[in-house]
Amino acid sequence: MAVSPKERIAMPVAGRPPLDVERIRQDFPVLRVLQRGRPIAYLDNAATSQKPQQVIDAIYRYYSEQNANVHRGVHYLSQQATDLYEQARSKVAKFVGTTVGCEIVFTRGTTESINLVAHSYGRQHVKSGDEILISHMEHHSNIVPWQMLCEQTGAHLKVIPINDDGELLLDEFEKLLTPRTKIVSIVHVSNALGTINPVKYIVDKAHAAGAVVVVDGAQATPHLPVTVKELGCDFYALSGHKMYGPTGIGVLYGRAELLERMQPFQGGGDMILSVTFEKTTYNHHPFRFEAGTPHIEGAIGLGAAIDYLHAVGIEKIAAHEHDLLEYGTQRLLEVDGLRLIGTARVKAGVLGFTLASAHPHDVGQILDDQGVAVRAGHHCAQPVMQRFGVPATTRASFGMYNTREEIDRMVDGLHEVNRIFG
Ligand code: 7TS
């Protein structure tokens, strides 16, 4: 018997959420902004999350009381800025589940983290005829850097197919793994489908075949507990701005043995030990990969976001968002002509859909008229759209501060779309 989309959602934590959402909402100033007299229902968290006052305050405090460049001066402010920057690194290390701070490289975000691996690990280890394995549900950030590496090296890009629910075909994955596979790069949580992938399983199989595994964790770290040492992955990429931190800061976790042997990504200050015109020697990781003055307040703001996530509790957040996912799925299925894109059994709080009556951009526009912020488009995952035969989807994606009432407002808006276009 066919299983309905709402039966397909399963997460480890079920039941009514114990999260005090009203209290949390008070920490996010943007949620008080009115659009036509009503607070905005912000359902575009996969694009970027809003920031709590605690993160804004940490950045404000840095510029008003602590600002100086890091790793350079002997003076008080420089030492303080350096301490705060390095404390942020330790917070990230603990957050992703490693005790080794030097395994944490600050980058601009997930995109830069993946490019760093493709450049610094890929060019050293991938040769003509080798293979790189990604999946059909990747964000462009986890496709294009590997295509570029293939162009440079003569390696081949292989793609793990997905089924009609948006789940990886694991049998096909295993068939695609060969001794030529050097890198498997896989998304942890799909931004277009919401699918949560079985990363540990993939890592174990890939390692048995001799490949290293890169995980795109952009959509995972705001929503799930992540422990890189349990997953066993070699690299893990994340973005601060999707997990209630600032834009322009992200992280690459890399296993120390691998980072140690990798060539630099960019050249400049901070990544060197000594420079002469004849020869430059490079700094140790992670500094070897952080050329130039880093995004100091970004790192400090990310540290504050991690403190905030810890204080609220990531398991509680996951349970709350799962409740929104279940509720939202049921409510969306009431809407005439609605097709859910992404009905995996194990999903995070992402609801992508099409309406028979209107193009996703029109849907997004009418929802905006109602003060409901969703994203309409291909979500930088064009191969996913091609797989499902749609030009685009409308996507609602949840964060810790969203409510059932906001979902009701979206559903009312969708009935309005059907009334106008139907
Ligand atoms: N990987 C995934 C799975 C993503 O969802 C995104 C951004 C990225 C990588 C890139 O992250 P960045 O911080 O380096 O830009 N995803 C989206 C989205 O779904 N809507 O806007 C950006």
Side-chain angles (χ1 to χ4, degrees), residues 46-47 109-111 139 141 187 191 216 218-219 239 241-242 375 395:
T110 302
T111 303
H139 186 278
S141 294
V187 72
N191 68 318
D216 172 351
Q219 300 293 347
S239 293
H241 70 99
K242 294 189 197 288
R375 185 167 172 197
R395 181 190 67 185

Side-chain angles (χ1 to χ4, degrees), residues 303-323:
I306 287 173
D307 289 342
Y308 191 83
L309 281 162
H310 279 311
V312 175
I314 194 91
E315 280 88 4
K316 282 189 185 180
I317 295 169
H320 172 64
E321 291 174 358
H322 184 64
D323 177 74

